[in-house]
Amino acid sequence: MAPRPAEVILAALPLALYFEGHEVSDPDYIAQAQEMVEATLVAVLTGEEG
């Protein structure tokens, strides 16, 4: 089954935020992106749906 467009956008958002944080040297952006990735991984590994 192919991912829905919203799933692709949600998966790309933390990555974009992470690189934006490095671009502007903002550690808050980077930390927020890492938290989003961690939450996504936990949801995937535990089978939670959002």
Side-chain angles (χ1 to χ4, degrees):
M1 172 186 272
R4 296 177 293 205
E7 292 171 338
V8 173
I9 291 169
L10 288 174
L13 183 60
L15 188 58
L17 191 60
Y18 180 82
F19 283 113
E20 177 69 17
H22 279 287
E23 180 83 18
V24 298
S25 299
D26 188 338
D28 288 335
Y29 276 9
I30 297 166
Q32 184 177 356
Q34 290 172 336
E35 289 173 9
M36 292 170 75
V37 169
E38 182 179 325
T40 301
L41 287 174
V42 168
V44 168
L45 293 174
T46 62
E48 294 178 18
E49 292 186 23

